[in-house]
Amino acid sequence: MKILTNPILKQLKANHARQQEDDVSNSTMPVVKLFGGACTWLLSELDDNGDAFGLCDLGMGSPELGYVSMDELMSIKFPPFGLPIERDMNWKPNKTLVEYADEARRYGRLVA
């Protein structure tokens, strides 16, 4: 399975371009949910360097907004079987990235 399909890539890059033009971060919807092990990422943007912006939950009780390298994400293999990161193919966003982040701070984990 391809993690980031062409339509997903287009939307991530379009969100990044919009973000560069205006401060629209409060209304940006996440585009894709990735997961592996106890980790979950809701990504909303992708820049030309391959860095994605989104809500990152590494399963340690402190989810945060920030950047993550897609190259690094794609290189992760989770023990014990060396499984790669997967995309939640059935997930659809129902709130903005900021709303997901506020909720994650309240619960100490990403709820999506």
Side-chain angles (χ1 to χ4, degrees), residues 8 29-33 42 87-95 100 112:
I8 291 171
M29 298 286 279
V31 176
V32 64
K33 177 182 177 184
L42 295 184
R87 173 172 39 102
D88 186 338
M89 294 176 58
N90 296 311
W91 180 79
K92 302 282 186 231
N94 59 10
K95 49 190 121 173
Y100 279 111

Side-chain angles (χ1 to χ4, degrees), residues 19-68:
Q19 182 66 25
Q20 298 307 302
E21 294 171 10
D22 301 316
D23 183 16
V24 294
S25 58
N26 286 342
S27 63
T28 303
M29 298 286 279
V31 176
V32 64
K33 177 182 177 184
L34 305 178
F35 65 93
C39 305
T40 307
W41 297 266
L42 295 184
L43 304 178
S44 63
E45 300 175 35
L46 182 65
D47 69 17
D48 294 334
N49 298 320
D51 294 324
F53 182 80
L55 180 58
C56 306
D57 182 358
L58 302 181
M60 297 185 289
S62 56
E64 60 186 45
L65 291 169
Y67 286 90
V68 62

Side-chain angles (χ1 to χ4, degrees), residues 56-103:
C56 306
D57 182 358
L58 302 181
M60 297 185 289
S62 56
E64 60 186 45
L65 291 169
Y67 286 90
V68 62
S69 164
M70 289 305 297
D71 288 339
E72 287 182 25
L73 277 184
M74 295 304 104
S75 70
I76 295 173
K77 303 291 184 228
F78 291 93
F81 303 109
L83 298 173
I85 288 180
E86 298 180 54
R87 173 172 39 102
D88 186 338
M89 294 176 58
N90 296 311
W91 180 79
K92 302 282 186 231
N94 59 10
K95 49 190 121 173
T96 67
L97 189 62
V98 170
E99 291 171 324
Y100 279 111
D102 289 343
E103 184 178 62

